[in-house]
């Protein structure tokens, strides 16, 4: 617990500073995180899958992150992402036909494509969200809200689960998670989103912030469970050992990669940023 807290105290200011300053620091941080994340995903491939081309995965996520940085607006972002998806899928198909040597072709293809989608496309939404609104303060504050709400959901679920957890949620996937902890994470996420409404770039009504917070509270925990399922398939405890007390970078991004896109699409299609 002490090591986990110490790591968070070091990493959190770096992340928040990159979000505050924006380009190029946030772009560099996203590129580094995406490359490390896709490396971990490929290493999580179950036995029999065979080795996967890390260079292809890194190139794919880099294209997605840079494409997200260059995008302006939802339509432009989706067009760029569609082109990157098509190009990456074509190159991946060629690699599978020419070089794949594993015994589980479908599983290998799933990890080969799924890794960049999670680490590149989904994470790239952080950069698109950072650029919403006519003022740079708007996107900055919405991204801060999204990330801090994810952290509140994770912390709330952990603390409430430890103190009050009695009923296990998914014992075969993640034995430590309880329904009480999940409720605590959801409540903390909604409360954090409403409390963060004081940020100067945010002008949304409190009920919209509560909806966004509750959405993040659900998706952050869903992402954590999905990653736990993948780790169970691969028979590993953590995605890696890069972050002391936390495991791998995917053990930290699992809650973010579903939550940040949800906040972006709620703003782009339902609420006004």
């Amino acid at each position: 617990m002490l090591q986990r807290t110490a790591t968070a105290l070091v990493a959190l200011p770096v992340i928040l500073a990159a979000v505050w300053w924006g380009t190029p620091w946030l772009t560099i941080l996203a590129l580094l995180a995406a490359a490390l994340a896709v490396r971990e995903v490929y290493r999580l491939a179950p036995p029999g899958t065979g080795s996967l081309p890390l260079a292809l995965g890194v190139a794919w996520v880099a294209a997605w992150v840079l494409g997200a940085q260059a995008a302006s607006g939802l339509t432009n972002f989706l067009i760029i992402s569609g082109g990157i998806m098509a190009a990456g899928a074509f190159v991946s198909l060629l690699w599978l036909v020419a070089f794949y040597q594993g015994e589980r072709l479908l599983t290998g293809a799933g990890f080969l494509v799924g890794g960049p989608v999670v680490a590149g496309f989904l994470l790239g939404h952080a950069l698109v969200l950072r650029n919403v609104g006519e003022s740079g303060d708007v996107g900055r504050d919405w991204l801060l809200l999204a990330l801090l709400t994810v952290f509140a959901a994770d912390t709330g679920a952990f603390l409430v689960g430890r103190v009050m957890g009695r009923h296990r949620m998914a014992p075969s996937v993640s034995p430590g998670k309880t329904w009480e902890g999940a409720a605590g994470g959801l409540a903390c996420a909604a409360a954090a989103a409403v409390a963060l409404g004081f940020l100067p770039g945010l002008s949304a009504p409190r009920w919209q912030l509560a909806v966004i917070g509750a959405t993040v509270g659900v998706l952050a925990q869903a992402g954590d469970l999905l990653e736990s399922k993948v780790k169970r398939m691969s028979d590993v405890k953590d995605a890696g050992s890069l972050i002391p007390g936390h495991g791998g970078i995917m053990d930290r991004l699992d809650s973010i990669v579903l939550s940040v896109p949800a906040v972006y699409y709620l703003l782009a299609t339902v609420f006004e940023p």
Side-chain angles (χ1 to χ4, degrees):
M1 182 66 179
L2 182 60
Q3 189 181 47
R4 182 186 182 99
T5 303
T7 301
L9 290 175
V10 173
L12 187 58
V14 173
I15 295 170
L16 296 182
V19 172
W20 190 270
W21 290 328
T23 308
W25 308 110
L26 183 60
T27 310
I28 294 170
L29 184 62
L31 281 169
L32 179 61
L36 293 172
V38 78
R39 174 175 173 265
E40 288 184 354
V41 172
Y42 282 2
R43 288 187 170 186
L44 283 176
T49 303
S51 61
L52 298 174
L54 180 59
L56 172 58
V58 170
W60 201 348
V61 298
W64 249 320
V65 169
L66 294 175
Q69 180 61 61
S72 57
L74 176 60
T75 301
N76 184 249
F77 172 61
L78 293 179
I79 291 173
I80 291 174
S81 296
I84 294 171
M85 181 68 201
F90 177 71
V91 175
S92 297
L93 178 61
L94 292 179
W95 184 88
L96 287 168
V97 171
F99 301 108
Y100 186 72
Q101 296 180 349
E103 300 171 359
R104 304 170 64 176
L105 176 61
L106 291 181
T107 302
F111 274 83
L112 179 61
V113 176
V117 168
V118 171
F121 173 65
L122 294 182
L123 185 60
H125 283 78
L127 299 175
V128 188
L129 180 58
R130 179 62 176 80
N131 292 329
V132 301
E134 297 180 1
S135 166
D137 293 349
V138 175
R140 178 200 67 199
D141 291 348
W142 276 115
L143 182 53
L144 285 173
L145 180 140
L147 294 176
L148 292 174
T149 302
V150 169
F151 300 153
D154 286 346
T155 303
F158 177 75
L159 294 178
V160 174
R162 290 199 66 173
V163 175
M164 302 175 59
R166 298 292 183 273
H167 302 87
R168 292 185 177 184
M169 177 187 294
S172 63
V173 176
S174 185
K177 288 184 173 53
T178 63
W179 286 107
E180 292 84 357
L186 177 62
C188 287
V194 172
L196 288 165
F198 73 87
L199 290 169
L202 307 183
S203 58
R206 291 295 184 267
W207 72 268
Q208 291 185 2
L209 295 173
V211 169
I212 290 171
T215 302
V216 169
V218 171
L219 291 178
Q221 298 183 71
D224 192 22
L225 281 173
L226 285 172
E227 198 220 0
S228 295
K229 179 64 175 178
V230 173
K231 289 189 292 187
R232 286 282 175 179
M233 291 169 53
S234 304
D235 195 25
V236 298
K237 182 180 183 295
D238 295 317
S241 57
L242 179 67
I243 308 175
H246 293 262
I249 193 165
M250 276 306 304
D251 294 307
R252 293 298 86 209
L253 291 179
D254 54 6
S255 301
I256 293 174
V257 292
L258 293 183
S259 301
V260 170
V263 173
Y264 174 69
Y265 289 120
L266 281 172
L267 292 178
T269 62
V270 181
F271 305 139
E272 289 292 332

